[in-house]
Amino acid sequence: MTFIRKLGMALMLCICASSAAVAAEPLYDKARGETPVMETTKPPVLGNAINDDVRRTRNYAQQPPVIPHRIDGYQVDKNFNKCLDCHSRTKAETYQAVPVSVTHYHDRDGNTLEQISTRRYFCVQCHVPQDNVSPLVNNTFQDVDSLVLKALQNSAKNGKND
């Protein structure tokens, strides 16, 4: 039994020693810039959110639409949802807003409800406003339609060369 305790203690000492060596070198994250992860920084000033009400193309299947207008000060909590002032199915036409999808009226068992499901009530869990900023990481994503079109163009080009 003492052998197991000694072995456990030796293992704990090794872990502590290795973690101390790793902790000596600060960790960095590209989103934080030159500031190590464990240091507090002053957050950057927020830019102006895009507020043009132009519907954006979705980047992938099942992507929730982005919010094309400012939502500063919108109350969205268990008592009230400001988004529904314009986007509810009864008011959307009046405000020329996109109505809430019918999928938001289904509960987790697939039953259709008379009002928005509680699991879809907090809009900004999925839908986000946009800022006019450069991406932190370059993106080379191409949707399937672009890939199919490119493949068809290449096959047509190769077919003409034969």
Side-chain angles (χ1 to χ4, degrees), residues 6-58:
K6 288 180 182 179
L7 184 61
M9 291 297 283
L11 183 61
M12 292 296 282
L13 284 171
C14 289
I15 290 172
C16 290
S18 65
S19 64
V22 170
E25 189 172 320
L27 298 173
Y28 293 93
D29 178 26
K30 184 171 180 150
R32 293 176 56 91
E34 299 295 320
T35 306
V37 172
M38 298 306 289
E39 289 184 21
T40 304
T41 64
K42 182 179 178 186
V45 176
L46 293 176
N48 286 331
I50 292 176
N51 199 31
D52 58 11
D53 283 337
V54 174
R55 291 175 76 176
R56 304 292 190 278
T57 303
R58 298 183 198 192

Side-chain angles (χ1 to χ4, degrees), residues 14 19 31 43 47 58 60 69 72 75 86-87 100 114 116 120 126 128 130 135 146:
C14 289
S19 64
R58 298 183 198 192
Y60 56 90
H69 58 80
D72 302 356
Q75 179 182 349
C86 299
H87 293 280
V100 173
E114 292 181 23
I116 290 182
R120 299 289 186 105
C126 301
V128 294
Q130 300 297 289
S146 300

Side-chain angles (χ1 to χ4, degrees), residues 72-92:
D72 302 356
Y74 274 34
Q75 179 182 349
V76 179
D77 58 31
K78 67 180 181 130
N79 299 317
F80 186 75
N81 184 328
K82 176 70 175 162
C83 302
L84 296 178
D85 280 357
C86 299
H87 293 280
S88 68
R89 298 195 82 66
T90 57
K91 298 178 183 176

